[in-house]
Amino acid sequence: MLYLESLYSKNANNMKKSVIRELLKLTQQPEIISFAGGLPDPDTFPVQDLQAAADLVFAKQARSALQYGTTEGDNELKAELIKFEERQGVRLSPDNMIIVSASQQALDMIPKIFLDPGDYIIAERPTYVGAIQAVQSYQGRMLGVPSSRDGDGFDMEELERRYLRAKNEGLSVKYIYVIPDFQNPSGVCWSLAKRKALLEFAYKHDLLVVEDAPYREIRFLGTPIPSLYQLDQEGENRSIIIGMKTFSKILAPGLRVGWVIARPEIIQKLVVAKQAVDLCTNVFSQKWLAEYLKTGKIYGVIAHTCELYRDKRDFMCDMLEKHMPRRSDITWTKPEGGLFLWLSLPSFIDTDEMIHKAVAEKVAYVVGSAFYFDEPEHNAMRINFSYSSKVQIEEGVRRLAKVVKAEIVAHETGRTAVAAPTGV
Ligand SMILES: Cc1ncc(COP(=O)(O)O)c(C=O)c1O
């Protein structure tokens, strides 16, 4: 019999299914209230304006929109994105940019061009599961650095300690991967001081920094903090940042379009990597987006999205306050932006085991352990507040709290946790 494992490459045998995508399948059942995915609220999609932009593409340039395009990306879209970035203080020229099939593609291409098997990257602990998956698929490894107690970015002493130990052991560390704005999963937003400290660290040790920023514009409280890309540009301008952006959270994830900004040599390497993957990003989507961006309406969409998500975040926090048992070891973050809360539970609760009980209660979350490359923490979860309606948030939190209460009672009485029937 054909034994496939011996035929698959080491890379393929190293690939692991995404816990989130597997969970998403499970939670497609309509009666489940899912806080698991990172889905935007579809009410934020500007359907009519996008339809008008698509009509214009068909009317004006159907033939080129249906043709192959360049791997670097559509020039008109790049021009619009350069204006978009300029409003945030980032200066770019077209050769600083490649259009990608959303940022997950960049997350795959960056380790592809930098990592040999066994090479390391430095990342936050916890970090985005899709980044872990991509690095693992190239047999790369991660050095995890925890956040500081203030929750404002890396614990810099730990970073220094872990990095120097790795260097002393002769390990090859290639780049630092961070999500400084409303991190997935923790919601942490890096302070200005931490951003500057990270840049200094990277300069000192000749490291590149990959700044993944899908949630940067989804800030609903506080004032924006300059991106690492911007800080480098305004300071020593050593071009050590690779910035990743996407339309997925600010417009619509179904478009599957994102962009990477970096120094031209890196962009050129990414172009070669992308040629082997998909030749070019969906040409129609790019022209469609260029037409839409010309209307300037995206800024209104982002403002409306932020308002909606602030309201939902507040509501979810209120519901957690109302329904969760009051204990000092049950806490959740209150991020100033993004799509997620990070909920920590008593150390005796294993959210990997509890997920089955939660799904039986018809509520879902992503287990915290999915966001660790190694030595996972088992008593946390990521919950999304952007997708569900308020009615679903209230009911979902109620169900979740009930499962948590049952775990606590079981721990205290030594019995197996069974949540009482909900009747809903
Ligand atoms: C931190 C981070 N990076 C990248 C992605 C991938 O996004 P997309 O491929 O839709 O642009 C996500 C999606 O949720 C994310 O949270």
Side-chain angles (χ1 to χ4, degrees), residues 106-311:
L107 277 176
D108 179 75
M109 292 197 310
I110 291 168
K112 185 175 190 171
I113 67 167
F114 285 111
L115 298 190
D116 288 314
D119 281 351
Y120 278 77
I121 74 160
I122 295 172
E124 292 153 299
R125 257 181 77 78
T127 192
Y128 174 51
V129 63
I132 298 178
Q133 218 186 359
V135 167
Q136 281 178 329
S137 73
Y138 292 102
Q139 299 178 61
R141 302 189 55 77
M142 279 183 170
L143 276 182
V145 178
S147 193
S148 66
R149 278 180 179 279
D150 297 336
D152 68 342
F154 275 160
D155 175 334
M156 294 306 291
E157 277 172 25
E158 262 311 293
L159 170 65
E160 184 103 33
R161 208 175 56 76
R162 289 185 191 206
Y163 177 73
L164 292 180
R165 192 173 61 198
K167 290 312 277 181
N168 285 339
E169 286 171 9
L171 304 179
S172 155
V173 181
K174 290 291 182 64
Y175 60 85
I176 303 174
Y177 167 75
V178 282
I179 310 161
D181 295 287
F182 319 117
Q183 202 241 18
N184 180 2
S186 68
V188 161
C189 184
W190 286 49
S191 66
L192 182 59
K194 277 287 157 72
R195 291 174 198 231
K196 288 184 173 168
L198 183 70
L199 264 188
E200 285 308 317
F201 180 86
Y203 291 154
K204 183 168 148 198
H205 297 287
D206 280 331
L207 286 163
L208 287 168
V209 180
V210 177
E211 178 176 34
D212 188 3
Y215 308 101
R216 182 160 172 74
E217 289 79 14
I218 309 295
R219 170 183 278 282
F220 37 73
L221 284 171
T223 26
I225 302 169
S227 64
L228 293 169
Y229 201 96
Q230 194 181 345
L231 287 172
D232 177 46
Q233 218 169 39
E234 288 168 1
E236 298 198 17
N237 202 12
R238 293 206 208 171
S239 305
I240 60 156
I241 310 293
I242 303 175
M244 290 169 44
K245 300 290 281 290
T246 175
F247 285 105
S248 291
K249 314 295 178 181
I250 56 173
L251 194 59
L255 294 163
R256 307 309 300 140
V257 178
W259 62 104
V260 178
I261 55 177
R263 63 164 89 166
E265 303 98 284
I266 295 177
I267 296 295
Q268 276 314 307
K269 224 14 158 199
L270 289 172
V271 166
V272 179
K274 185 171 162 66
Q275 280 165 356
V277 180
D278 63 355
L279 302 179
C280 60
T281 298
N282 181 317
V283 179
F284 184 85
S285 282
Q286 293 185 70
K287 294 200 179 286
W288 180 16
L289 272 162
E291 257 341 305
Y292 175 74
L293 289 180
K294 279 188 222 164
T295 66
K297 291 186 174 171
I298 191 163
Y299 302 105
V301 170
I302 293 172
H304 167 246
T305 304
C306 289
E307 223 169 279
L308 184 68
Y309 291 179
R310 188 192 55 213
D311 189 40

Side-chain angles (χ1 to χ4, degrees), residues 1-20:
M1 203 180 61
L2 192 62
Y3 182 60
L4 286 172
E5 265 66 28
S6 65
L7 296 178
Y8 288 137
S9 67
K10 287 202 182 81
N11 281 353
N13 278 325
N14 254 333
M15 290 173 188
K16 298 204 172 76
K17 275 185 180 170
S18 155
V19 180
I20 296 186

Side-chain angles (χ1 to χ4, degrees), residues 46-63 65 284 287-289 291-292 295:
V47 177
Q48 282 174 358
D49 291 332
L50 281 172
Q51 192 173 355
D55 288 346
L56 260 184
V57 175
F58 275 118
K60 282 191 344 195
Q61 42 180 342
R63 290 164 74 90
F284 184 85
K287 294 200 179 286
W288 180 16
L289 272 162
E291 257 341 305
Y292 175 74
T295 66

